[in-house]
Amino acid sequence: MKTFIIGISGVTNGGKTTLAKNLQKHLPNCSVISQDDFFKPESEIQTDKNGFLQYDVLEALNMEKMMSAISCWMESARHSVVSTDQESAEEIPILIIEGFLLFNYNTRVYQPPDSPGYFDGHVWPMYLKYRQEMQDITWEVVYLDGTKSEQDLFLQVYEDLIQELAKQKCLQVTA
């Protein structure tokens, strides 16, 4: 059985989770795995010279556990029961993986709020560093304009996904 895996990545607090959850509501047979669920305990997170906890680095994440969750999803998708009703098309299982460092191996309010200078001094530079690494990868990547409204971004991604899923279903019929 074919599966469809979508990665949503971008700067911390940039709307990735909001977009993923909105897509999940509108796409059939869709699951979401969020990188935020795989942070190591705070006691294992290093601090920088300014005293900021270094959450925006790969070392802050338990990537093995995240990759295991993705593998489990892929295995269960292969064994999921497919509709036998010949009038309905086979639903392709969809996995959305979202996080700030994916391609490198409701808006949230942080309590307590970030310290002054944390975003500009740490989050944004780390995002730029890892985005450059991602741009060097040859996968097909669609960049979104973060200045657009949440609804416009959702519609753009949703329409692209529906077109891609339609192509996949056509390939299944003709294969």
Side-chain angles (χ1 to χ4, degrees), residues 4-42:
F4 203 76
I5 300 177
I6 301 151
I8 300 174
S9 190
V11 69
T12 296
N13 205 25
K16 299 173 299 297
T17 303
T18 302
L19 177 59
K21 298 285 185 189
N22 202 1
L23 288 167
Q24 184 180 32
K25 286 182 206 173
H26 292 86
L27 294 169
N29 208 12
C30 182
S31 303
V32 173
I33 293 179
S34 176
Q35 199 171 43
D36 285 352
D37 295 334
F38 297 93
F39 279 108
K40 293 177 181 175
E42 187 175 317

mmCIF file of all heavy atoms in Angstrom, residues 4-42:
data_model
loop_
_atom_site.group_PDB
_atom_site.id
_atom_site.type_symbol
_atom_site.label_atom_id
_atom_site.label_comp_id
_atom_site.label_asym_id
_atom_site.label_seq_id
_atom_site.Cartn_x
_atom_site.Cartn_y
_atom_site.Cartn_z
ATOM 1 N N PHE A 4 1.643 8.460 2.046
ATOM 2 C CA PHE A 4 1.995 9.822 1.662
ATOM 3 C C PHE A 4 2.538 10.496 2.908
ATOM 4 O O PHE A 4 1.828 10.624 3.903
ATOM 5 C CB PHE A 4 0.741 10.528 1.146
ATOM 6 C CG PHE A 4 1.023 11.690 0.251
ATOM 7 C CD1 PHE A 4 1.420 11.499 -1.061
ATOM 8 C CD2 PHE A 4 0.897 12.978 0.714
ATOM 9 C CE1 PHE A 4 1.672 12.572 -1.895
ATOM 10 C CE2 PHE A 4 1.150 14.057 -0.101
ATOM 11 C CZ PHE A 4 1.535 13.849 -1.419
ATOM 12 N N ILE A 5 3.812 10.910 2.871
ATOM 13 C CA ILE A 5 4.439 11.543 4.030
ATOM 14 C C ILE A 5 4.797 12.981 3.677
ATOM 15 O O ILE A 5 5.419 13.233 2.650
ATOM 16 C CB ILE A 5 5.683 10.759 4.485
ATOM 17 C CG1 ILE A 5 5.283 9.331 4.869
ATOM 18 C CG2 ILE A 5 6.365 11.472 5.655
ATOM 19 C CD1 ILE A 5 6.428 8.439 5.267
ATOM 20 N N ILE A 6 4.388 13.893 4.541
ATOM 21 C CA ILE A 6 4.582 15.333 4.332
ATOM 22 C C ILE A 6 5.405 15.870 5.490
ATOM 23 O O ILE A 6 5.121 15.567 6.651
ATOM 24 C CB ILE A 6 3.223 16.059 4.309
ATOM 25 C CG1 ILE A 6 2.339 15.487 3.199
ATOM 26 C CG2 ILE A 6 3.398 17.566 4.166
ATOM 27 C CD1 ILE A 6 0.878 15.585 3.505
ATOM 28 N N GLY A 7 6.426 16.655 5.195
ATOM 29 C CA GLY A 7 7.217 17.305 6.232
ATOM 30 C C GLY A 7 6.946 18.796 6.238
ATOM 31 O O GLY A 7 6.935 19.429 5.192
ATOM 32 N N ILE A 8 6.683 19.346 7.414
ATOM 33 C CA ILE A 8 6.490 20.788 7.582
ATOM 34 C C ILE A 8 7.565 21.258 8.553
ATOM 35 O O ILE A 8 7.610 20.813 9.693
ATOM 36 C CB ILE A 8 5.094 21.130 8.129
ATOM 37 C CG1 ILE A 8 3.995 20.623 7.187
ATOM 38 C CG2 ILE A 8 4.970 22.644 8.361
ATOM 39 C CD1 ILE A 8 2.593 20.795 7.740
ATOM 40 N N SER A 9 8.432 22.139 8.087
ATOM 41 C CA SER A 9 9.519 22.615 8.931
ATOM 42 C C SER A 9 9.615 24.126 8.835
ATOM 43 O O SER A 9 9.162 24.724 7.862
ATOM 44 C CB SER A 9 10.844 21.973 8.485
ATOM 45 O OG SER A 9 11.855 22.235 9.414
ATOM 46 N N GLY A 10 10.208 24.739 9.848
ATOM 47 C CA GLY A 10 10.379 26.187 9.857
ATOM 48 C C GLY A 10 10.817 26.650 11.230
ATOM 49 O O GLY A 10 11.067 25.849 12.129
ATOM 50 N N VAL A 11 10.890 27.935 11.367
ATOM 51 C CA VAL A 11 11.371 28.552 12.590
ATOM 52 C C VAL A 11 10.450 28.231 13.773
ATOM 53 O O VAL A 11 9.243 28.014 13.601
ATOM 54 C CB VAL A 11 11.521 30.085 12.401
ATOM 55 C CG1 VAL A 11 10.176 30.761 12.263
ATOM 56 C CG2 VAL A 11 12.329 30.703 13.517
ATOM 57 N N THR A 12 11.024 28.163 14.966
ATOM 58 C CA THR A 12 10.265 27.955 16.192
ATOM 59 C C THR A 12 9.165 29.005 16.305
ATOM 60 O O THR A 12 9.388 30.188 16.050
ATOM 61 C CB THR A 12 11.221 28.048 17.412
ATOM 62 O OG1 THR A 12 12.159 26.981 17.313
ATOM 63 C CG2 THR A 12 10.473 27.961 18.725
ATOM 64 N N ASN A 13 7.968 28.540 16.685
ATOM 65 C CA ASN A 13 6.799 29.398 16.856
ATOM 66 C C ASN A 13 6.356 30.038 15.543
ATOM 67 O O ASN A 13 5.799 31.129 15.528
ATOM 68 C CB ASN A 13 7.055 30.469 17.928
ATOM 69 C CG ASN A 13 5.765 30.951 18.565
ATOM 70 O OD1 ASN A 13 4.773 30.228 18.578
ATOM 71 N ND2 ASN A 13 5.775 32.154 19.094
ATOM 72 N N GLY A 14 6.589 29.341 14.416
ATOM 73 C CA GLY A 14 6.233 29.864 13.102
ATOM 74 C C GLY A 14 4.915 29.356 12.537
ATOM 75 O O GLY A 14 4.572 29.686 11.410
ATOM 76 N N GLY A 15 4.176 28.516 13.277
ATOM 77 C CA GLY A 15 2.866 28.055 12.824
ATOM 78 C C GLY A 15 2.841 26.637 12.256
ATOM 79 O O GLY A 15 1.833 26.219 11.684
ATOM 80 N N LYS A 16 3.909 25.878 12.407
ATOM 81 C CA LYS A 16 3.975 24.520 11.862
ATOM 82 C C LYS A 16 2.905 23.612 12.461
ATOM 83 O O LYS A 16 2.205 22.906 11.733
ATOM 84 C CB LYS A 16 5.355 23.909 12.131
ATOM 85 C CG LYS A 16 6.509 24.655 11.513
ATOM 86 C CD LYS A 16 7.845 24.092 11.965
ATOM 87 C CE LYS A 16 8.095 24.167 13.441
ATOM 88 N NZ LYS A 16 8.167 25.507 14.015
ATOM 89 N N THR A 17 2.785 23.614 13.776
ATOM 90 C CA THR A 17 1.816 22.752 14.448
ATOM 91 C C THR A 17 0.397 23.153 14.073
ATOM 92 O O THR A 17 -0.448 22.296 13.805
ATOM 93 C CB THR A 17 2.011 22.816 15.981
ATOM 94 O OG1 THR A 17 3.352 22.444 16.287
ATOM 95 C CG2 THR A 17 1.042 21.904 16.702
ATOM 96 N N THR A 18 0.131 24.448 14.020
ATOM 97 C CA THR A 18 -1.198 24.932 13.649
ATOM 98 C C THR A 18 -1.567 24.455 12.252
ATOM 99 O O THR A 18 -2.670 23.943 12.033
ATOM 100 C CB THR A 18 -1.241 26.474 13.718
ATOM 101 O OG1 THR A 18 -0.906 26.881 15.044
ATOM 102 C CG2 THR A 18 -2.606 27.015 13.342
ATOM 103 N N LEU A 19 -0.647 24.579 11.301
ATOM 104 C CA LEU A 19 -0.898 24.136 9.933
ATOM 105 C C LEU A 19 -1.111 22.622 9.889
ATOM 106 O O LEU A 19 -2.058 22.131 9.260
ATOM 107 C CB LEU A 19 0.264 24.541 9.017
ATOM 108 C CG LEU A 19 0.165 24.075 7.560
ATOM 109 C CD1 LEU A 19 -1.092 24.609 6.883
ATOM 110 C CD2 LEU A 19 1.414 24.511 6.794
ATOM 111 N N ALA A 20 -0.264 21.861 10.572
ATOM 112 C CA ALA A 20 -0.375 20.398 10.563
ATOM 113 C C ALA A 20 -1.718 19.940 11.134
ATOM 114 O O ALA A 20 -2.385 19.072 10.561
ATOM 115 C CB ALA A 20 0.777 19.780 11.348
ATOM 116 N N LYS A 21 -2.122 20.516 12.260
ATOM 117 C CA LYS A 21 -3.397 20.125 12.887
ATOM 118 C C LYS A 21 -4.587 20.516 12.014
ATOM 119 O O LYS A 21 -5.570 19.774 11.923
ATOM 120 C CB LYS A 21 -3.536 20.764 14.273
ATOM 121 C CG LYS A 21 -2.479 20.345 15.266
ATOM 122 C CD LYS A 21 -2.707 18.951 15.780
ATOM 123 C CE LYS A 21 -1.681 18.649 16.861
ATOM 124 N NZ LYS A 21 -1.693 17.278 17.272
ATOM 125 N N ASN A 22 -4.507 21.657 11.348
ATOM 126 C CA ASN A 22 -5.581 22.085 10.456
ATOM 127 C C ASN A 22 -5.691 21.143 9.261
ATOM 128 O O ASN A 22 -6.789 20.753 8.862
ATOM 129 C CB ASN A 22 -5.334 23.533 10.005
ATOM 130 C CG ASN A 22 -6.586 24.230 9.545
ATOM 131 O OD1 ASN A 22 -7.680 23.674 9.554
ATOM 132 N ND2 ASN A 22 -6.434 25.475 9.128
ATOM 133 N N LEU A 23 -4.551 20.756 8.690
ATOM 134 C CA LEU A 23 -4.566 19.803 7.580
ATOM 135 C C LEU A 23 -5.136 18.459 8.036
ATOM 136 O O LEU A 23 -5.920 17.828 7.319
ATOM 137 C CB LEU A 23 -3.158 19.614 7.019
ATOM 138 C CG LEU A 23 -2.598 20.794 6.230
ATOM 139 C CD1 LEU A 23 -1.098 20.617 6.002
ATOM 140 C CD2 LEU A 23 -3.340 20.960 4.905
ATOM 141 N N GLN A 24 -4.752 18.029 9.240
ATOM 142 C CA GLN A 24 -5.230 16.752 9.762
ATOM 143 C C GLN A 24 -6.757 16.732 9.868
ATOM 144 O O GLN A 24 -7.390 15.710 9.588
ATOM 145 C CB GLN A 24 -4.594 16.473 11.121
ATOM 146 C CG GLN A 24 -4.963 15.117 11.697
ATOM 147 C CD GLN A 24 -4.318 14.873 13.049
ATOM 148 O OE1 GLN A 24 -4.097 15.799 13.827
ATOM 149 N NE2 GLN A 24 -4.013 13.619 13.342
ATOM 150 N N LYS A 25 -7.343 17.855 10.249
ATOM 151 C CA LYS A 25 -8.804 17.939 10.355
ATOM 152 C C LYS A 25 -9.484 17.753 9.000
ATOM 153 O O LYS A 25 -10.610 17.276 8.940
ATOM 154 C CB LYS A 25 -9.224 19.306 10.911
ATOM 155 C CG LYS A 25 -8.980 19.507 12.371
ATOM 156 C CD LYS A 25 -9.504 20.884 12.767
ATOM 157 C CE LYS A 25 -8.788 21.421 13.971
ATOM 158 N NZ LYS A 25 -9.154 22.814 14.268
ATOM 159 N N HIS A 26 -8.807 18.152 7.915
ATOM 160 C CA HIS A 26 -9.431 18.165 6.599
ATOM 161 C C HIS A 26 -9.018 17.018 5.678
ATOM 162 O O HIS A 26 -9.617 16.842 4.614
ATOM 163 C CB HIS A 26 -9.132 19.499 5.904
ATOM 164 C CG HIS A 26 -9.809 20.660 6.552
ATOM 165 N ND1 HIS A 26 -9.255 21.336 7.620
ATOM 166 C CD2 HIS A 26 -10.997 21.245 6.306
ATOM 167 C CE1 HIS A 26 -10.075 22.289 7.995
ATOM 168 N NE2 HIS A 26 -11.143 22.265 7.222
ATOM 169 N N LEU A 27 -8.020 16.265 6.052
ATOM 170 C CA LEU A 27 -7.544 15.173 5.202
ATOM 171 C C LEU A 27 -7.951 13.829 5.801
ATOM 172 O O LEU A 27 -7.740 13.593 6.994
ATOM 173 C CB LEU A 27 -6.021 15.236 5.052
ATOM 174 C CG LEU A 27 -5.466 16.445 4.309
ATOM 175 C CD1 LEU A 27 -3.952 16.515 4.464
ATOM 176 C CD2 LEU A 27 -5.860 16.394 2.838
ATOM 177 N N PRO A 28 -8.511 12.955 4.977
ATOM 178 C CA PRO A 28 -8.895 11.640 5.495
ATOM 179 C C PRO A 28 -7.653 10.792 5.797
ATOM 180 O O PRO A 28 -6.619 10.958 5.159
ATOM 181 C CB PRO A 28 -9.698 11.032 4.336
ATOM 182 C CG PRO A 28 -9.164 11.719 3.114
ATOM 183 C CD PRO A 28 -8.782 13.107 3.561
ATOM 184 N N ASN A 29 -7.785 9.927 6.783
ATOM 185 C CA ASN A 29 -6.730 8.952 7.075
ATOM 186 C C ASN A 29 -5.380 9.620 7.335
ATOM 187 O O ASN A 29 -4.346 9.185 6.836
ATOM 188 C CB ASN A 29 -6.635 7.957 5.907
ATOM 189 C CG ASN A 29 -6.138 6.605 6.350
ATOM 190 O OD1 ASN A 29 -6.072 6.313 7.535
ATOM 191 N ND2 ASN A 29 -5.765 5.787 5.397
ATOM 192 N N CYS A 30 -5.390 10.703 8.116
ATOM 193 C CA CYS A 30 -4.198 11.528 8.329
ATOM 194 C C CYS A 30 -3.757 11.504 9.799
ATOM 195 O O CYS A 30 -4.586 11.623 10.699
ATOM 196 C CB CYS A 30 -4.498 12.964 7.907
ATOM 197 S SG CYS A 30 -3.106 14.088 8.067
ATOM 198 N N SER A 31 -2.450 11.355 10.004
ATOM 199 C CA SER A 31 -1.859 11.393 11.338
ATOM 200 C C SER A 31 -0.784 12.478 11.380
ATOM 201 O O SER A 31 -0.234 12.835 10.342
ATOM 202 C CB SER A 31 -1.198 10.052 11.667
ATOM 203 O OG SER A 31 -2.111 8.997 11.579
ATOM 204 N N VAL A 32 -0.470 12.965 12.585
ATOM 205 C CA VAL A 32 0.567 13.978 12.759
ATOM 206 C C VAL A 32 1.565 13.497 13.814
ATOM 207 O O VAL A 32 1.163 13.023 14.876
ATOM 208 C CB VAL A 32 -0.023 15.341 13.196
ATOM 209 C CG1 VAL A 32 1.082 16.338 13.535
ATOM 210 C CG2 VAL A 32 -0.946 15.902 12.119
ATOM 211 N N ILE A 33 2.835 13.627 13.492
ATOM 212 C CA ILE A 33 3.900 13.422 14.476
ATOM 213 C C ILE A 33 4.626 14.756 14.609
ATOM 214 O O ILE A 33 5.086 15.312 13.618
ATOM 215 C CB ILE A 33 4.872 12.298 14.052
ATOM 216 C CG1 ILE A 33 4.152 10.952 14.065
ATOM 217 C CG2 ILE A 33 6.099 12.282 14.974
ATOM 218 C CD1 ILE A 33 5.001 9.772 13.637
ATOM 219 N N SER A 34 4.685 15.249 15.841
ATOM 220 C CA SER A 34 5.289 16.554 16.118
ATOM 221 C C SER A 34 6.643 16.390 16.785
ATOM 222 O O SER A 34 6.764 15.685 17.791
ATOM 223 C CB SER A 34 4.366 17.373 17.015
ATOM 224 O OG SER A 34 4.973 18.586 17.370
ATOM 225 N N GLN A 35 7.645 17.057 16.232
ATOM 226 C CA GLN A 35 8.993 16.987 16.795
ATOM 227 C C GLN A 35 9.025 17.512 18.232
ATOM 228 O O GLN A 35 9.842 17.063 19.039
ATOM 229 C CB GLN A 35 9.949 17.787 15.899
ATOM 230 C CG GLN A 35 11.400 17.454 16.089
ATOM 231 C CD GLN A 35 12.266 18.106 15.035
ATOM 232 O OE1 GLN A 35 12.081 19.271 14.700
ATOM 233 N NE2 GLN A 35 13.212 17.358 14.516
ATOM 234 N N ASP A 36 8.126 18.424 18.564
ATOM 235 C CA ASP A 36 8.072 18.974 19.927
ATOM 236 C C ASP A 36 7.823 17.896 20.979
ATOM 237 O O ASP A 36 8.132 18.096 22.155
ATOM 238 C CB ASP A 36 6.971 20.032 20.047
ATOM 239 C CG ASP A 36 7.350 21.359 19.399
ATOM 240 O OD1 ASP A 36 8.518 21.506 19.000
ATOM 241 O OD2 ASP A 36 6.468 22.226 19.289
ATOM 242 N N ASP A 37 7.277 16.762 20.569
ATOM 243 C CA ASP A 37 6.995 15.682 21.510
ATOM 244 C C ASP A 37 8.240 14.854 21.832
ATOM 245 O O ASP A 37 8.149 13.900 22.616
ATOM 246 C CB ASP A 37 5.908 14.763 20.947
ATOM 247 C CG ASP A 37 4.576 15.465 20.807
ATOM 248 O OD1 ASP A 37 4.315 16.437 21.550
ATOM 249 O OD2 ASP A 37 3.776 15.041 19.938
ATOM 250 N N PHE A 38 9.377 15.215 21.237
ATOM 251 C CA PHE A 38 10.568 14.391 21.381
ATOM 252 C C PHE A 38 11.761 15.142 21.978
ATOM 253 O O PHE A 38 12.911 14.741 21.779
ATOM 254 C CB PHE A 38 10.937 13.763 20.028
ATOM 255 C CG PHE A 38 9.849 12.850 19.537
ATOM 256 C CD1 PHE A 38 8.856 13.333 18.696
ATOM 257 C CD2 PHE A 38 9.792 11.538 19.963
ATOM 258 C CE1 PHE A 38 7.836 12.501 18.270
ATOM 259 C CE2 PHE A 38 8.773 10.699 19.536
ATOM 260 C CZ PHE A 38 7.789 11.183 18.680
ATOM 261 N N PHE A 39 11.500 16.216 22.732
ATOM 262 C CA PHE A 39 12.576 16.902 23.428
ATOM 263 C C PHE A 39 13.073 16.045 24.578
ATOM 264 O O PHE A 39 12.291 15.346 25.236
ATOM 265 C CB PHE A 39 12.122 18.262 23.980
ATOM 266 C CG PHE A 39 12.124 19.350 22.961
ATOM 267 C CD1 PHE A 39 10.936 19.852 22.461
ATOM 268 C CD2 PHE A 39 13.318 19.870 22.482
ATOM 269 C CE1 PHE A 39 10.937 20.849 21.508
ATOM 270 C CE2 PHE A 39 13.331 20.871 21.529
ATOM 271 C CZ PHE A 39 12.140 21.354 21.042
ATOM 272 N N LYS A 40 14.356 16.089 24.813
ATOM 273 C CA LYS A 40 14.939 15.415 25.967
ATOM 274 C C LYS A 40 14.514 16.178 27.222
ATOM 275 O O LYS A 40 14.090 17.343 27.141
ATOM 276 C CB LYS A 40 16.461 15.399 25.847
ATOM 277 C CG LYS A 40 16.960 14.533 24.700
ATOM 278 C CD LYS A 40 18.462 14.602 24.582
ATOM 279 C CE LYS A 40 18.958 13.746 23.423
ATOM 280 N NZ LYS A 40 20.412 13.905 23.214
ATOM 281 N N PRO A 41 14.656 15.559 28.398
ATOM 282 C CA PRO A 41 14.328 16.281 29.645
ATOM 283 C C PRO A 41 15.209 17.533 29.790
ATOM 284 O O PRO A 41 16.349 17.560 29.322
ATOM 285 C CB PRO A 41 14.663 15.268 30.738
ATOM 286 C CG PRO A 41 14.692 13.934 30.065
ATOM 287 C CD PRO A 41 15.078 14.187 28.645
ATOM 288 N N GLU A 42 14.667 18.552 30.433
ATOM 289 C CA GLU A 42 15.394 19.823 30.601
ATOM 290 C C GLU A 42 16.769 19.616 31.222
ATOM 291 O O GLU A 42 17.726 20.320 30.879
ATOM 292 C CB GLU A 42 14.561 20.782 31.450
ATOM 293 C CG GLU A 42 15.150 22.165 31.531
ATOM 294 C CD GLU A 42 14.259 23.150 32.264
ATOM 295 O OE1 GLU A 42 13.030 23.145 32.041
ATOM 296 O OE2 GLU A 42 14.809 23.933 33.064
#
